[in-house]
Amino acid sequence: AARLTPWQVDLSQLSGSLPRLFIISTDSSIDIDGNGITIDARKEHTKSWTLEYYYNNSVNTGADFGAWRGFLFNQTSTEPQGNVGSKLHNITLRGFLNAVEFNHNHRRKVTVENCTLRTNVWALFPRGANVVISSNTIIENHLGGAYCEYNSRDYLFADNIFRDNNTRGAVAYGDI
């Protein structure tokens, strides 16, 4: 059954310079069905902040968000012919530095579908290759909806809603 209340995740015990809640590094296809869950990593003092607050006030990404990442995909081999690849779907992620990210050497096909990525620093941090981003709601992320690094390739964005990303108003970044 779907969880009716958000998972108020405590990330304070995650350690390392780049703490992540989930790391997917197997070279087998994996299906992650959130079943409608919300994983809310927002700090307590930011939970009442409205979109208007983000636009009108200075936000300190370190103090107000922290360094936690939600999902990191680091699947380094491509999938066998005819394999559907990995999938992340039916989940809402809030309050992460990067909600969903891919490592530079990621190669396996991944589909991110029917997710809501809201009030993170970056919703998507694509690197590597072979990712489909479809039918997602990507809204109100502080620095942007997607930050595609230098070796991002073979990414397909289709039927997504991008709205009110880059609430900081940085010159170089914005909605896709």
Side-chain angles (χ1 to χ4, degrees):
R3 183 181 177 120
L4 299 178
T5 58
W7 175 21
Q8 306 290 329
V9 62
D10 178 7
L11 301 173
S12 64
Q13 300 303 309
L14 290 179
S15 61
S17 61
L18 301 172
R20 293 166 172 107
L21 186 58
F22 297 103
I23 299 173
I24 296 83
S25 59
T26 180
D27 279 328
S28 298
S29 295
I30 184 168
D31 184 347
I32 304 167
D33 185 348
N35 199 27
I37 192 172
T38 296
I39 301 177
D40 192 346
R42 290 177 297 163
K43 293 187 174 183
E44 198 60 42
H45 72 276
T46 68
K47 289 183 180 178
S48 64
W49 291 0
T50 63
L51 180 60
E52 181 180 6
Y53 181 91
Y54 280 101
Y55 274 116
N56 294 318
N57 294 278
S58 177
V59 174
N60 180 318
T61 56
D64 295 327
F65 285 92
W68 306 293
R69 281 107 164 133
F71 287 83
L72 168 69
F73 286 87
N74 187 28
Q75 296 176 295
T76 58
S77 70
T78 58
E79 68 280 346
Q81 185 73 17
N83 189 302
V84 297
S86 294
K87 189 173 185 179
L88 173 65
H89 55 116
N90 302 323
I91 195 166
T92 297
L93 300 172
R94 300 185 77 176
F96 291 96
L97 179 62
N98 302 331
V100 181
E101 63 181 344
F102 300 85
N103 208 350
H104 289 284
N105 57 352
H106 177 83
R107 300 293 177 265
R108 181 171 290 271
K109 181 180 177 186
V110 173
T111 301
V112 178
E113 182 177 62
N114 295 322
C115 294
T116 298
L117 308 175
R118 182 177 185 185
T119 57
N120 300 285
V121 176
W122 289 104
L124 299 161
F125 210 85
R127 297 169 287 198
N130 298 328
V131 178
V132 175
I133 309 292
S134 68
S135 303
N136 299 288
T137 301
I138 302 166
I139 60 173
E140 302 173 13
N141 295 286
H142 183 57
L143 292 183
Y147 181 88
C148 302
E149 281 201 340
Y150 62 88
N151 72 333
S152 304
R153 65 187 187 286
D154 299 323
Y155 273 74
L156 172 65
F157 288 81
D159 300 319
N160 297 289
I161 296 170
F162 284 86
R163 181 184 52 80
D164 286 307
N165 295 296
N166 189 17
T167 57
R168 179 175 159 208
V171 175
Y173 308 113
D175 292 347
I176 290 179

